[in-house]
Amino acid sequence: MNQLARQVLALDKTNEDARQFLSAAERMQTGITASPQTESIRSTEAEPSSFAGGRYAVKKFLGEGGKKKVYLAHDSLLDRDVAFAQIKFAQIKIEGLDDVGRERVTREGQAMGRLGSHPHVVTVFDLGEMDGQPFMVTELMGGGDVEGLIEKAGGHLPLEQAISIALAVCRAHDGRHNQGTTSCLLR
């Protein structure tokens, strides 16, 4: 997998997913849980206390990847906990997201929303923009992400768990294909 990520970076030096993967793989091999660079960025950034005019009260920061920063938040309007994701794109400029990026975020949210309730796709509750920064609010999923599961397992998942995850991904892709959707967040 590391070699594949390096090949991706050779073709696209700005690919944040490949950079994040290699960074996580390096941390896992060295036993470091967070890179010094990530820690210095995290410690200098003030975490927001709420989003969307106070509707989503931040409870805690959950994580950051190449495309989004995710927070555990409480939706005061619907009185439930949610995952609040600030979407990041290479197209973001000083004045905000360009029209192409904005349209992409909207299309993805709408496509996920059209799936409705599916057992292997995260449900989208809200989609919007705040200060030029797009956001997506989804159901809160327990258990973390696959990268975290792999790290907790010491780099290798048990075969049964890996097969279970692969089957869930296949079911999600089948569900989105049947709906004519081209993207989704998996659960």
Side-chain angles (χ1 to χ4, degrees):
M1 290 295 260
N2 291 0
Q3 183 60 29
L4 181 60
R6 284 187 186 91
Q7 290 172 347
V8 168
L9 283 174
L11 295 171
D12 177 10
K13 293 181 186 346
T14 63
N15 188 302
E16 272 305 306
D17 289 330
R19 287 183 188 283
Q20 292 288 329
F21 176 84
L22 286 174
S23 175
E26 183 180 300
R27 287 192 312 269
M28 195 167 54
Q29 286 176 338
T30 60
I32 300 172
T33 57
S35 70
Q37 180 184 13
T38 302
E39 283 303 313
S40 67
I41 291 169
R42 296 260 18 106
S43 63
T44 59
E45 289 180 3
E47 294 297 344
S49 60
S50 67
F51 295 105
R55 176 177 176 181
Y56 300 103
V58 174
K59 288 185 162 185
K60 79 177 196 178
F61 175 76
L62 294 177
E64 180 173 3
K67 295 182 182 174
K68 62 187 177 269
K69 288 172 97 171
V70 183
Y71 298 87
L72 166 61
H74 185 78
D75 180 346
S76 62
L77 182 64
L78 299 176
D79 192 27
R80 64 179 167 192
D81 286 345
V82 297
F84 186 98
Q86 285 183 307
I87 310 299
K88 304 184 305 186
F89 283 98
Q91 299 97 334
I92 292 179
K93 298 176 181 170
I94 293 171
E95 69 275 2
L97 188 68
D98 70 10
D99 290 338
V100 173
R102 186 176 288 109
E103 184 179 320
R104 182 174 155 196
V105 171
T106 301
R107 269 195 329 265
E108 181 174 335
Q110 290 171 339
M112 290 170 60
R114 280 192 299 273
L115 283 174
S117 181
H118 187 282
H120 299 290
V121 178
V122 175
T123 303
V124 175
F125 296 140
D126 195 7
L127 181 66
E129 192 173 305
M130 189 176 70
D131 301 325
Q133 182 77 29
F135 67 84
M136 187 179 295
V137 180
T138 66
E139 69 182 301
L140 185 63
M141 299 304 302
D145 60 9
V146 175
E147 181 182 359
L149 290 174
I150 292 170
E151 284 181 24
K152 286 180 189 174
H156 301 284
L157 292 176
L159 180 60
E160 297 79 20
Q161 189 175 18
I163 290 171
S164 175
I165 291 168
L167 286 172
V169 169
C170 290
R171 289 183 186 118
H173 281 283
D174 183 55
R176 77 171 200 192
H177 175 74
N178 291 336
Q179 292 284 334
T181 305
T182 59
S183 70
C184 63
L185 295 173
L186 307 175
R187 53 167 135 155

